[in-house]
Amino acid sequence: MLLLLALQLDPDLEALRAVGPEGAGHEAAAAAWKKVVERGALLPVLAAFDGASPRAANWLRAAADALPSPDPKALEAFVLDVRRHPEARYLAFLRIDGRDRLLSLDDPGRELRRAAVARALAGAKTLEDFTKLLGHARERDQVDAIAKKMKELGGKADLLAHGGFLTRWQLFCPFDNKDTKGFGVAYPPERGERKEPKDVETSDPAGKVDLNAALGKQKGVVAYAFAAVDSPTERDVELRVATNNAVKLFLNGELLAFRDEYHHGMKIDQYVGRARLKKGRNEVLLKICQNDQKEDWAQSWSFQARLCDALGGGVPFEALK
């Protein structure tokens, strides 16, 4: 907290934090950057990452790279303070000799969690080792490597549960999307009126739902996918969705994210909506639009969705009928 109080009184660091798009504030930041580096104090720069925008973080990172390290004990204390910005903690971590002793498999920072899992993965030998490690892993390549080793040792990783993938859905279709005009229309499922659903449960190992297979090949239409889940606690959550198609993401009736674009490829976690799960029943609704394009590459109509924490670990829930 002392660093934050000092930060609030430092106009040069505030100038770095104030940079905006299209060059806004960059001239002032360039002058301030030189002063920050001349002072030679690393920890206030790392503290300035707290709440900084991605653009500001770029300036702060460049300043940090140009500064000497302070007392190792001060650096270590900064790394261990999990309230600090994850990237700033990692930058401090990289400057510490014998730093691996600071790693924790439950670290809330992405970079430090990844380093901890990598260290444990190098020493894992038994199925029990890999099974326990899977519970801590969040990065896709590490999760896949652990799952592969578990299979080799006679075990099986439940990657759907680990990732918080939703696999049971009620589908509502078709609604008109001729000339892609349906994206902005709130059809009945969007207003809470959901009648005559088609129940679908995907067996895809990555939770993918092929709407062409489930609903028959259709063009110029809107489909809604609905899932209800029971959460044991109230908690922050990310609804992460992937699809080739235009999409809207709703949780408990709140629009979290949207993208009105078609056939741009599909990759895990393309769209992220942040919200808070209620204890008990929660409702997920996806609006997935298909346009009229006839090219072979424009025929995909599918989606994948999961509920997870900020690091990508699946949150506990029970699918409801």
Side-chain angles (χ1 to χ4, degrees):
M1 294 303 295
L2 291 176
L3 288 175
L4 283 176
L5 291 174
L7 171 62
Q8 293 170 358
L9 301 176
D10 188 333
D12 295 319
L13 284 172
E14 290 292 0
L16 297 185
R17 289 164 56 89
V19 294
E22 301 179 0
H26 283 218
E27 185 175 348
W33 187 91
K34 293 180 181 179
K35 296 179 182 179
V36 169
V37 172
E38 287 173 358
R39 283 199 294 270
L42 175 66
L43 288 180
V45 174
L46 295 180
F49 274 81
D50 293 347
S53 70
R55 291 184 182 87
N58 289 336
W59 285 86
L60 294 168
R61 190 181 308 111
D65 289 344
L67 291 168
S69 296
D71 176 74
K73 291 184 179 180
L75 273 180
E76 181 172 331
F78 191 92
V79 172
L80 294 176
D81 187 351
V82 297
R83 299 169 298 176
R84 294 297 189 183
H85 191 283
E87 182 180 357
R89 293 177 57 227
Y90 187 64
L91 291 175
F93 169 79
L94 292 176
R95 291 172 177 250
I96 297 174
D97 292 333
R99 54 184 173 263
D100 281 0
R101 60 190 169 78
L102 302 178
L103 290 173
S104 168
L105 288 170
D106 292 318
D107 199 285
R110 177 179 177 180
E111 297 89 350
L112 288 165
R113 173 79 69 102
R114 180 180 179 86
V117 171
R119 182 189 186 199
L121 187 56
K125 299 183 183 303
T126 67
L127 177 59
E128 183 180 6
D129 291 339
F130 289 106
T131 301
K132 289 181 178 179
L133 188 54
L134 180 64
H136 300 283
R138 295 295 182 266
E139 299 296 303
R140 178 54 46 182
D141 61 330
Q142 292 182 327
V143 169
D144 289 343
I146 293 169
K148 181 179 179 181
K149 292 299 296 185
M150 290 176 64
K151 184 177 181 179
E152 291 174 357
L153 294 169
K156 183 178 181 181
D158 187 350
L159 297 184
L160 290 174
H162 178 270
F165 288 96
L166 295 159
T167 59
R168 292 169 54 181
W169 296 93
Q170 291 183 335
L171 304 180
F172 303 86
C173 183
F175 300 93
D176 183 33
N177 194 37
K178 185 177 180 181
D179 299 325
T180 66
K181 294 179 180 179
F183 186 80
V185 179
Y187 289 114
E190 211 166 317
R191 304 194 302 266
E193 303 171 22
R194 293 181 286 271
K195 299 179 181 179
E196 299 181 4
K198 179 178 177 61
D199 293 326
V200 171
E201 183 168 3
T202 179
S203 59
D204 183 85
K208 179 179 176 181
V209 177
D210 185 343
L211 292 173
N212 284 324
L215 299 172
K217 187 175 180 180
Q218 303 184 61
K219 300 295 287 184
V221 297
V222 171
Y224 288 90
F226 173 83
V229 301
D230 181 84
S231 173
T233 61
E234 181 180 348
R235 61 173 300 151
D236 292 331
V237 72
E238 294 188 354
L239 172 59
R240 299 187 181 186
V241 175
T243 180
N244 293 285
N245 310 86
V247 64
K248 289 185 177 181
L249 287 60
F250 299 87
L251 179 63
N252 294 327
E254 178 186 357
L255 177 63
L256 304 184
F258 62 89
R259 183 69 176 271
D260 188 7
E261 185 180 352
Y262 294 84
H263 309 303
H264 43 72
M266 177 176 171
K267 61 180 181 180
I268 190 171
D269 299 343
Q270 276 173 304
Y271 309 110
V272 179
R274 296 176 177 86
R276 192 161 180 84
L277 278 182
K278 301 181 294 185
K279 181 179 180 180
R281 182 182 176 88
N282 295 265
E283 297 183 348
V284 175
L285 183 69
L286 307 179
K287 181 176 187 175
I288 304 163
C289 307
Q290 175 65 297
N291 66 2
D292 295 306
Q293 287 179 257
K294 295 180 172 56
E295 296 89 348
D296 289 344
W297 48 265
Q299 305 310 302
S300 295
W301 190 28
S302 57
F303 72 93
Q304 170 201 66
R306 64 194 190 109
L307 292 169
C308 59
D309 59 28
L311 289 182
V315 300
F317 63 82
E318 179 185 353
L320 300 175
K321 293 184 178 180

